[in-house]
Amino acid sequence: MKVRFTKMQGAGNDFVVLDETRARLNLTAAQYRRLADRHFGVGADQILSVRPSPAPGIDFEYVIHNADGGEVEQCGNGARCFARFVRDRGLANGDRIRVRTLSGVIEPRIEADGRVAVDMGPPVFEPASIPFDAAGVSPQADGAWQTWRLALGTSADAPIVAVAVLSMGNPHAVQEVDDVDTAPVETQGPRIEHHPRFPNRVNAGFMQVVDRGRIRLRVWERGAGETLACGTGACAAVVAGIRLGRLDRKVDVETRGGLLTIEWAGGAANVLMTGPAATVFEGEMELPDQ
């Protein structure tokens, strides 16, 4: 089958966007993997599907598949590209849309400077809702909040890392590092992703605090590996930094792909993320029947 697509990127986090507003493509996990494959497909961190309104008061349904073909709850950088896509294609007329994801409703809006802001909803800290298995362990006090100690292996010399655990519609484990350039992302990232205390796996964030209004960040995303930027990871890192007492309520996040701005007033307030979104190219690909 032939599939038309649009390649987009937000701070280097890249996506294949599929317009399913007229008809479902009904792709298999193997076909999503082929689209995301950087050698045999288009190449992307995630595949984003634009589907019609699923309910009154909602403009679109936003469906996300990782490069491994699995469906996931949320993608912040993808949400900005989603908003830019529907606006540029004439599928939406206003600057603000309401979109339903697997984890709930978000509201992206296009700003006057061309960047896209997304109301990502409130962070979730209850372990069972993240989900995080806290049975038999206790958090350690850290600043104004807490972190959890994770052993990355069963041997006596296995590294132990302290992570802040929360959800931004998808699970995140954030650790503070002295220098993101030398952080053990490639070795610790997959171990944290598959740690047994995260039944749905987890995104592993490595955060360097530069000052109270700026951090540097790398994220190992579940199902995708390290990406140039992760929107929900940026939100999770800033929320964790604020709760730990390291950051102010508005923070610039330097990723390897670009700059994101995250704002959070604390408590039950929603998290606001602002950053770029751009079309790279459009095309058509023949997908094998799988």
Side-chain angles (χ1 to χ4, degrees):
M1 62 182 298
K2 286 187 177 180
V3 174
R4 291 203 57 80
F5 65 86
T6 299
K7 178 71 180 283
M8 302 189 73
Q9 62 88 14
N13 198 182
D14 62 337
F15 310 98
V16 168
V17 185
L18 304 175
D19 184 351
E20 296 189 71
T21 55
R22 296 181 179 178
R24 290 283 184 93
L25 294 171
N26 296 315
L27 301 184
T28 65
Q31 289 171 324
Y32 285 119
R33 288 194 297 270
R34 177 58 67 93
L35 278 169
D37 192 293
R38 298 188 184 279
H39 299 286
F40 297 101
V42 181
D45 295 321
Q46 281 90 20
I47 312 299
L48 314 180
S49 298
V50 182
R51 295 179 181 172
S53 169
I58 304 296
D59 297 305
F60 299 96
E61 184 177 15
Y62 167 34
V63 180
I64 309 142
H65 287 82
N66 272 342
D68 65 0
E71 186 176 358
V72 293
E73 306 93 338
Q74 186 59 277
C75 177
N77 287 328
R80 297 198 315 276
C81 290
F82 186 103
R84 172 62 64 191
F85 178 87
V86 298
R87 175 66 182 276
D88 290 351
R89 286 298 184 93
L91 299 173
N93 296 321
D95 292 333
R96 183 189 296 266
I97 58 173
R98 283 174 55 82
V99 177
R100 191 178 77 179
T101 71
L102 200 59
S103 66
V105 176
I106 58 173
E107 296 189 15
R109 71 171 184 267
I110 298 176
E111 303 284 81
D113 63 1
R115 297 203 301 168
V116 181
V118 185
D119 181 340
M120 297 295 294
V124 173
F125 304 109
E126 173 59 37
S129 300
I130 292 171
F132 172 68
D133 179 7
V137 294
S138 299
Q140 306 295 310
D142 189 336
W145 191 30
Q146 63 190 23
T147 56
W148 300 81
R149 300 312 194 247
L150 297 180
L152 303 184
T154 56
S155 63
D157 60 348
I160 297 176
V161 297
V163 295
V165 177
L166 68 153
S167 172
M168 282 304 312
N170 54 0
H172 289 270
V174 182
Q175 64 173 293
E176 191 172 354
V177 298
D178 293 330
D179 183 352
V180 292
D181 292 330
T182 58
V185 178
E186 291 83 4
T187 56
Q188 289 189 7
R191 293 186 184 184
I192 297 171
E193 176 191 357
H194 294 280
H195 196 280
R197 289 199 176 273
F198 297 97
N200 294 342
R201 296 183 294 164
V202 71
N203 301 288
F206 298 77
M207 171 180 69
Q208 174 189 343
V209 177
V210 178
D211 57 45
R212 295 193 62 83
R214 197 173 196 90
I215 66 172
R216 300 177 67 211
L217 181 69
R218 292 170 66 186
V219 179
W220 179 275
E221 293 195 49
R222 59 175 181 168
E226 185 179 8
T227 57
L228 291 179
C230 175
T232 57
C235 294
V238 169
V239 167
I242 292 172
R243 289 210 65 183
L244 292 168
R246 318 274 206 270
L247 301 173
D248 293 332
R249 62 190 294 176
K250 184 176 181 179
V251 178
D252 286 334
V253 180
E254 294 181 17
T255 73
R256 290 189 161 185
L259 187 71
L260 303 174
T261 301
I262 310 298
E263 299 175 64
W264 184 55
N270 290 2
V271 179
L272 183 67
M273 173 186 60
T274 305
T279 295
V280 181
F281 61 87
E282 297 180 350
E284 186 175 80
M285 179 178 172
E286 183 80 35
L287 283 176
D289 294 328
Q290 298 180 23

